């Protein structure tokens, strides 16, 4: 994101990082898991932030959210943001989960096997 904005709004790119991650995410009171649940829910409810939603679904997985917790969070949005927003969120999650599965498969097949020693 920073590189993408470098030629048009480099200061804005800096604000995108400094304010949320320097000022808000570091506050006490909520764990990173809780913050990611709230962020995933908010981005899903917006319905206009699919790239950012995918980033935060990845982040949620990285801070310990399970796929089921993310899926349930997105399904909960059907009540408050509508079925289209929840459906779009679920499709974004499906994309992220598939991407992570593919990455894991690629790593597993690219890792050389351990040498077998005869004793």
């Amino acid at each position: 994101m920073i590189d993408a904005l470098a030629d048009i709004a480099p200061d804005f790119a800096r604000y995108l990082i400094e304010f949320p991650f320097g000022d808000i995410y570091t506050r006490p009171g909520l764990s990173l898991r809780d913050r990611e649940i709230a962020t995933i829910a908010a981005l899903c409810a917006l319905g206009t932030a699919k790239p950012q939603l995918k980033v935060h679904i990845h982040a949620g997985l990285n801070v310990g959210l399970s796929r089921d917790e993310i899926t349930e969070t997105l399904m909960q949005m059907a009540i408050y943001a509508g079925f289209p927003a929840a459906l779009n969120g679920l499709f974004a999650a499906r994309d992220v989960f598939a991407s992570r599965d593919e990455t894991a498969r690629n790593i597993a097949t690219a890792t050389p096997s351990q040498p077998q020693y005869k004793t």
Side-chain angles (χ1 to χ4, degrees):
M1 187 61 65
I2 292 172
D3 292 341
L5 292 170
D7 63 336
I8 189 168
D11 288 339
F12 189 74
R14 186 171 45 85
Y15 300 149
L16 281 173
I17 302 300
E18 287 179 0
F19 177 65
F21 298 105
D23 295 333
I24 302 300
Y25 272 70
T26 59
R27 292 179 51 79
L30 290 176
S31 69
L32 288 177
R33 287 180 93 261
D34 294 339
R35 290 183 190 282
E36 287 302 338
I37 289 171
T39 303
I40 289 166
L43 291 170
C44 177
L46 282 173
T48 58
K50 187 176 180 179
Q52 293 81 10
L53 177 57
K54 286 182 173 185
V55 166
H56 284 280
I57 291 169
H58 277 290
L61 292 167
N62 290 342
V63 298
L65 292 176
S66 70
R67 291 177 182 204
D68 287 343
E69 289 172 315
I70 291 168
T71 299
E72 289 298 324
T73 298
L74 295 167
M75 288 175 63
Q76 179 78 14
M77 292 304 97
I79 301 166
Y80 299 99
F83 279 87
L87 185 60
N88 290 338
L90 289 165
F91 287 144
R94 183 180 64 189
D95 291 348
V96 170
F97 299 161
S99 170
R100 288 176 79 103
D101 289 345
E102 180 66 24
T103 298
R105 278 192 297 275
N106 289 340
I107 289 170
T109 58
T111 305
S113 61
Q114 296 294 324
Q116 299 296 317
Y117 298 102
K118 294 184 180 182
T119 56

